[in-house]
Amino acid sequence: MRRGRVGGAGRATPRWVTSAGAEAEVAAGGPRAPTCTAMDMDVAPGSVVEPGWLLSPEGRQHRDAILRKGRRRLFGLLERPALPPALAAAPAAYKLFVSGKSGVGKTALVAALAGAEGPAGHHETLGIQATTVYWPAKVRDAGRPVLFQLDFWDCGETALKKFDHILPACKEEADGVLFLFSFTDRCSFEDLPGQVARVTRPEENLVRVVVGTKFDLSPQADVTERDVAAFERAWRLPVLRASGAPRARGRRGRGDAGARAELARVAPLLDALAERLWRRDQLAAGLLPAGSPSPPPQASPTQ
């Protein structure tokens, strides 16, 4: 994926980003770095699922099942992709809570992952908004495609602070948390340690992933790649990146090329989530020894 601009020359790195700064924060009673598991950082991209498989000829039937008239299909509460009997199987369902400060692009990110039109402007989400995304991926150890059902739960920051029941409802039976910050909002990046401490506890068996939004808006970049690398080292949490360019509203029937381009845009992030969720289940089921690193990525015949 294309990286954002390395900007902000001369800006001091926050103390909590460095290992010494993180230790000082803990000693002072501040945010504590979570106890990380193998699923947090030790999942090599492409080691669990075949990258780009959905866009390959082999993935054509699964791709057609999530498209309609040249664009992503939006599924109702009781709907799911229709596949031929030989390929049909119960989806692997996961619940993901999307956390982040107001304005970082939580709702826009979920809309992009679902193939829906994002909001025209910033409007804080009222209450809880749940969105289901179906994402087929070929899992290497299973040797077959798996239909991932990713249920994203998003809520507005104001509602989260005002109502005590919102956070427990979003986290109930959750499988993972996406911590969002914007590359154009340094305050949202510096809030990450506090956000992790407020939302999760070290003993929870959750997939934890940080997502930086608007990383391609280079002129407005306010978080550097050096900042991101330091955060990953200190907190042992992977940082994924999401585009800030909104999808054009009202465009329909763009054909196969347009649909493939849209899928290619969200595939790296969705594949990464599928990999970590699948690996967490392997560890929980005892199919992998605790703390075992993921195997190196294999060459994919579809690439």
Side-chain angles (χ1 to χ4, degrees):
M1 296 176 67
R2 186 163 58 89
R3 302 271 180 163
R5 178 181 66 92
V6 180
R11 183 187 292 112
T13 300
R15 292 181 68 247
W16 56 261
V17 168
T18 65
S19 297
E23 292 171 1
E25 286 277 358
V26 172
R32 182 178 298 273
T35 300
C36 295
T37 63
M39 63 192 168
D40 287 329
M41 283 295 290
D42 297 334
V43 180
S47 63
V48 179
V49 305
E50 291 187 11
W53 173 84
L54 187 60
L55 297 174
S56 72
E58 186 184 352
R60 178 62 184 267
Q61 288 181 295
H62 285 80
R63 186 168 69 247
D64 289 345
I66 63 171
L67 297 176
R68 174 183 288 174
K69 296 182 179 179
R71 64 182 301 167
R72 294 279 294 281
R73 178 181 174 184
L74 303 180
F75 294 92
L77 185 63
L78 300 178
E79 294 181 310
R80 72 182 192 189
L83 290 163
L87 299 176
Y94 297 97
K95 177 180 177 181
L96 299 166
F97 173 43
V98 184
S99 173
K101 290 177 66 67
S102 178
V104 297
K106 298 187 295 294
T107 302
L109 174 66
V110 173
L113 296 179
E117 292 180 348
H122 170 59
H123 302 285
E124 184 159 350
T125 302
L126 302 177
I128 299 173
Q129 179 173 301
T131 303
T132 297
V133 175
Y134 287 100
W135 186 252
K138 187 172 183 180
V139 178
R140 292 190 185 278
D141 64 357
R144 60 177 176 81
V146 173
L147 181 62
F148 288 86
Q149 177 184 325
L150 305 177
D151 298 320
F152 292 94
W153 286 49
D154 162 33
C155 69
E157 186 181 21
T158 300
L160 191 63
K161 293 178 178 178
K162 185 175 181 180
F163 302 107
D164 293 339
H165 70 279
I166 296 288
L167 181 58
C170 289
K171 286 187 59 183
E172 184 180 9
E173 299 184 353
D175 299 286
V177 180
L178 275 62
F179 300 100
L180 266 62
F181 74 93
S182 169
F183 274 91
T184 64
D185 179 2
R186 189 167 186 83
C187 289
S188 68
F189 177 71
E190 295 181 346
D191 182 60
L192 284 175
Q195 190 183 148
V196 173
R198 289 190 300 270
V199 174
T200 63
R201 297 190 299 274
E203 66 273 13
E204 292 176 317
N205 186 25
L206 295 169
V207 170
R208 299 172 176 88
V209 173
V210 177
V211 179
T213 63
K214 309 175 187 178
F215 83 98
D216 55 343
L217 301 184
S218 300
Q220 297 100 27
D222 201 28
V223 177
T224 71
E225 291 293 342
R226 182 178 177 180
D227 292 333
V228 171
F231 175 87
E232 288 183 317
R233 289 194 302 270
W235 289 78
R236 290 190 54 77
L237 289 173
V239 177
L240 307 178
R241 292 155 176 79
S243 169
R247 204 192 77 177
R249 299 174 65 86
R251 294 177 62 187
R252 297 185 177 276
R254 295 173 298 161
D256 186 63
R260 289 173 63 89
E262 184 178 316
L263 291 174
R265 181 182 171 196
V266 299
L269 203 157
L270 288 172
D271 279 346
L273 292 177
E275 286 192 306
R276 285 167 170 79
L277 291 164
W278 188 265
R279 184 164 174 79
R280 184 203 71 146
D281 282 357
Q282 285 186 315
L283 289 167
L287 300 177
L288 294 174
S292 64
S294 66
Q298 307 170 28
S300 172
T302 62
Q303 292 181 310

